[in-house]
Amino acid sequence: MKVGFVGLGRMGVGMAGSLLKAGHEVTVYNRTRAKADALVAHGARVAEEISGACRGEVVFTMLADDEAVENAALASGGILEGLAPGAIHISSSTISVGLSERLARAHADSGQGFLAAPVFGRPEVAEAGNLFVVAAGAPEAVAAAAPLLEAIGQKTFIVSDTPASANLVKLSGNFLIASVIESLGEAMALVGKGGVDPHRYLEILTATLFGAPVYKTYGALIAEGKFEPAGFAAPLGQKDIRLLLAAAEDLRVPLPLASLLRDRFLTLLAHSGENLDWSAIGGLAARDAGVTRK
Ligand SMILES: NC(=O)c1ccc[n+]([C@@H]2O[C@H](COP(=O)([O-])OP(=O)(O)OC[C@H]3O[C@@H](n4cnc5c(N)ncnc54)[C@H](OP(=O)(O)O)[C@@H]3O)[C@@H](O)[C@H]2O)c1
């Protein structure tokens, strides 16, 4: 298929690479041009402007946040203006429920399709084409996009025909991951200060009741205290908890644990955490406990 791809950050570069590997004709655009040029060797064409990435049947966005996606899609010279009627915008960024609803309306008014297809998996998983894709939108758009979603992920889950429902699922998933990071960080601070080797502790956890990937991935990062380089940057993690709380507020759903996580992220960011991986909130409990790493 003829595909545009806007946003070649940690995740986007791997996703666009997977589309190229699957044989699709991909035109990429990125604010920082060098990241787009790096994909030329893999067969990508580079667009000078966003509109140049909107000439195909589908355009993906994988940008940092609401502001970037809103600009790319709705500003003058953006996707809404550039995309042909019948073509589809697939939004894979983790964005707010509110923006997803606005994008769905705007594209429908222009006779275009809109699919929310946020993903689970870190940059190395994106590079391997093994993401989990959580998609929602009109069945025709889902069917048309299926080969592309298959190229970027190992499995696609269709939530419903309302795009924003996929964004809500994604935000709730990141809430659960952040909850695990925080609770693991607390448990590991406890056993660590009590003299237990964190790696041995993690082996016991993951070989018994806690064998899920999220415990393995984040447990290892916390045990190592290895929060750089960031795979998923802390400011983006904070953004997700903020968007989750906004969705919860709209629906009148109290999320006391999410409010706590919000403060954990603010603590991290206030203490030079801007460039760390979001799992660095899992190191705060050890710091609070006065645990010094050997
Ligand atoms: N990293 C993960 O593990 C992960 C996993 C699942 C979902 N996500 C979500 O996926 C999205 C992308 O994450 P990422 O880790 O790839 O982020 P990233 O590495 O920080 O990349 C962000 C991308 O957005 C662009 N961008 C940021 N602000 C912009 C603006 N104001 N105008 C135009 N372009 C802008 C950046 O362009 P430049 O290159 O010019 O800076 C870059 O292409 C986020 O919504 C994130 O929450 C991330």
Side-chain angles (χ1 to χ4, degrees), residues 97-286:
V97 166
L99 178 57
S100 188
E101 287 169 348
R102 274 195 290 137
L103 289 171
R105 273 196 302 273
H107 284 297
D109 289 348
S110 298
Q112 301 156 346
F114 177 69
L115 214 54
V119 297
F120 285 110
R122 288 167 63 86
E124 62 277 13
V125 180
E127 197 186 345
N130 277 337
L131 293 165
F132 289 110
V133 183
V134 179
E140 318 80 74
V142 169
L148 304 175
L149 302 183
E150 276 161 26
I152 61 169
Q154 56 175 294
K155 194 163 169 121
T156 302
F157 299 85
I158 310 300
V159 185
S160 79
D161 55 11
T162 305
S165 66
N167 302 99
L168 193 59
V169 170
K170 170 63 190 172
L171 290 171
S172 75
N174 274 17
F175 164 53
L176 290 175
I177 300 172
S179 306
V180 167
I181 294 170
E182 171 63 24
S183 53
L184 259 178
E186 293 184 19
M188 288 169 88
L190 174 71
V191 298
K193 198 168 184 185
V196 176
D197 174 57
H199 297 283
R200 182 69 189 134
Y201 177 63
L202 200 59
E203 258 175 56
I204 296 168
L205 285 186
T206 55
T208 54
L209 299 182
F210 305 94
V214 67
Y215 283 93
K216 292 179 183 160
T217 302
Y218 288 106
L221 293 175
I222 297 168
E224 289 291 328
K226 189 175 178 335
F227 304 125
E228 281 177 290
F232 181 44
L236 294 182
Q238 187 251 336
K239 172 258 305 176
D240 290 353
I241 299 300
R242 178 164 43 80
L243 299 182
L244 173 90
L245 284 167
E249 194 168 317
D250 280 351
L251 291 166
R252 299 286 184 267
V253 179
L255 297 178
L257 206 48
S259 299
L260 180 147
L261 289 167
R262 168 190 173 275
D263 282 345
R264 279 313 227 183
F265 276 109
L266 292 181
T267 300
L268 179 67
L269 296 179
H271 289 86
S272 313
E274 291 280 335
N275 294 320
L276 300 181
D277 192 80
W278 75 322
S279 54
I281 62 159
L284 294 177

